[in-house]
Amino acid sequence: MSKSSPNPQRDGFTTALGVIAATLGSAVGLGNIWKFPSLTGTNGGASFLFIYIISTLLVGLPVMISELMMGRAARADAVTTLQKLAPRKQPWWLAAALGVLAAFLIMAFYTEVAGWVFAYIFKSLGGGLLSTDPQVTSEAFTALITDPWQSLIWQWVVLAVVGAIILLGVSKGIEGATKRLMPILFVILLVLCVRSLTLPGAGEGLAFLFKPDLTKLSAAAVLTAMGLAFFKLSVGMGTMITYGSYFREDQNVPKTAAQVMLADLTVSILAGIAIFPAVFSFGFEPTAGPSLLFITIPAVFAAMPLGNVFMVLFFLLAAIAATGAMLSLMEVPVAFLNERTGLSRKAATLITVGLLALIGSTAALSSSTLANFKPFGLNMCNCSGW
Ligand code: PHE
């Protein structure tokens, strides 16, 4: 294959730091703040973390390097990349087409969960979520997800924010936003870790996170850890192929991928440090699963001094993380439409946002208007149980 010649017309990341910020922005997401802690909590703590680290190193990282390299070699959207690189016209582009569809469908429910996170920033500002009784925080969460208008409107707010950044383009929009957001994310995370670690009895939470009990390991937990490694590093959906296509020619791909992987792992572990010591300190259960974020955490914050300040910070952190991930999820179909159909970036973005609002509404309404709509016996989005 000939060496790629970058198309000067094509937008891309402009600085080495920008590449890291954008790629890390994609990897860091609700996966770190929600999925990782809830899965670690339900799968026995440290032993799950151990398997997850091994899966990330052995499976996640190599796939990430390959995807980024493919994108950079072809300098095109995910489908065109596989079409260009496949030997003898083999139909590998079909795998990328599925990736574009997967990124779109993930985005359809991710925007809903992100909508709850955005809503929680404002709700915690008002102090309405503060109660040490998980029964009360659970009712507050149920009230939000069963209200069709609140669910839809918060999803639209998320789509508008992400769509507006995508409209600005790859360098000005994605790179510009993530370069500003990622440092803020780390500062908030560190503040929350210090808060959690200085609570009485914090050691128990740390032991849960770092002292492996290998008897708790099951085959199912190993499979879950591998799935998490894929989801965390945003691989298998054309995301890293698309971002790789915006990498600078002089960017060292394996080194960048390793740095992003390490930083992403650090964010997950710090999120665990911010959450588990506090959960144990106030006598809550770490095994709540997905409701950990929206039901247990508010109750934990309510139990500490200045709880609502820390709660606002916590949900701001989750919102920033989710935004970076959503930028990369939306960029996949936008780049595809833009480069394959000749639509302008603006038109491609508006169409993607419109379709996401339409298809995503089935996720937003899955706990209210569409609660009883169950094709094949399945709810449209088991978002709160994800
Ligand atoms: N990595 C993101 C997270 O942890 C999710 C994601 C998956 C983003 C796939 C892009 C593609 O939340």
Side-chain angles (χ1 to χ4, degrees):
M1 191 194 50
S2 65
K3 202 167 173 339
S4 61
S5 50
N7 172 358
Q9 310 271 261
R10 204 167 176 268
D11 199 0
F13 301 135
T14 56
T15 63
L17 199 69
V19 171
I20 304 251
T23 315
L24 182 61
S26 167
V28 168
L30 292 172
N32 308 62
I33 315 289
W34 186 21
K35 216 171 168 170
F36 169 79
S38 75
L39 288 178
T40 306
T42 46
N43 286 286
S47 46
F48 179 81
L49 172 62
F50 177 68
I51 303 290
Y52 167 61
I53 293 178
I54 296 195
S55 313
T56 301
L57 286 173
L58 296 187
V59 190
L61 182 63
V63 179
M64 185 182 181
I65 295 176
S66 339
E67 285 198 15
L68 289 172
M69 283 193 153
M70 285 194 262
R72 196 181 52 181
R75 298 232 172 258
D77 66 277
V79 174
T80 312
T81 292
L82 285 208
Q83 223 167 20
K84 274 190 180 173
L85 301 183
R88 294 186 304 277
K89 296 216 172 355
Q90 289 170 9
W92 285 101
W93 62 270
L94 280 168
L98 284 178
V100 175
L101 185 67
F104 180 87
L105 291 176
I106 292 180
M107 191 60 182
F109 82 85
Y110 206 98
T111 44
E112 181 49 30
V113 182
W116 301 336
V117 169
F118 277 46
Y120 263 52
I121 300 177
F122 291 92
K123 287 184 192 287
S124 34
L125 269 177
L129 295 168
L130 277 190
S131 168
T132 49
D133 181 358
Q135 186 65 35
V136 176
T137 54
S138 166
E139 276 160 19
F141 181 53
T142 308
L144 171 66
I145 68 173
T146 52
D147 180 335
W149 279 111
Q150 278 206 63
S151 304
L152 280 176
I153 289 170
W154 283 110
Q155 185 178 45
W156 294 339
V157 169
V158 168
L159 280 170
V161 170
V162 178
I165 300 174
I166 290 287
L167 267 184
L168 287 175
V170 178
S171 50
K172 280 212 191 80
I174 300 176
E175 182 179 351
T178 50
K179 245 169 44 188
R180 289 178 181 89
L181 291 175
M182 284 298 116
I184 304 178
L185 178 132
F186 275 97
V187 172
I188 299 181
L189 198 49
L190 288 177
V191 170
L192 290 172
C193 283
V194 171
R195 172 64 285 197
S196 178
L197 286 173
T198 49
L199 289 167
E204 207 187 325
L206 283 182
F208 177 75
L209 191 59
F210 293 119
K211 228 165 114 198
D213 173 0
L214 292 177
T215 58
K216 287 199 179 142
L217 263 190
S218 63
V222 174
L223 211 58
T224 307
M226 282 196 181
L228 181 64
F230 266 77
F231 188 83
K232 278 304 316 111
L233 292 181
S234 312
V235 293
M237 338 268 162
T239 322
M240 287 300 163
I241 299 181
T242 309
Y243 269 23
S245 78
Y246 302 136
F247 270 36
R248 287 153 50 111
E249 206 59 28
D250 58 0
Q251 192 86 16
N252 180 331
V253 172
K255 191 172 148 205
T256 308
Q259 285 168 334
V260 167
M261 184 273 298
L262 277 179
D264 177 63
L265 203 57
T266 308
V267 173
S268 291
I269 293 175
L270 289 178
I273 295 178
I275 291 173
F276 290 114
V279 167
F280 277 90
S281 173
F282 294 108
F284 289 100
E285 282 300 318
T287 50
S291 64
L292 184 72
L293 183 64
F294 296 104
I295 296 173
T296 312
I297 299 259
V300 168
F301 282 120
M304 62 175 78
L306 287 181
N308 59 345
V309 175
F310 289 107
M311 180 143 62
V312 172
L313 282 180
F314 184 87
F315 285 103
L316 198 59
L317 166 81
I320 291 176
T323 301
M326 289 188 290
L327 287 174
S328 69
L329 283 165
M330 197 186 274
E331 181 62 21
V332 175
V334 167
F336 169 74
L337 282 178
N338 176 218
E339 292 178 31
R340 295 298 297 221
T341 65
L343 283 171
S344 67
R345 186 173 173 91
K346 189 172 166 197
T349 308
L350 294 178
I351 289 175
T352 306
V353 168
L355 285 175
L356 280 169
L358 195 72
I359 308 285
S361 67
T362 58
L365 300 177
S366 64
S367 301
S368 52
T369 320
L370 296 178
N372 294 320
F373 178 58
K374 291 187 178 159
F376 309 108
L378 296 169
N379 185 277
M380 285 311 284
C381 167
N382 191 15
C383 306
S384 57
W386 168 50

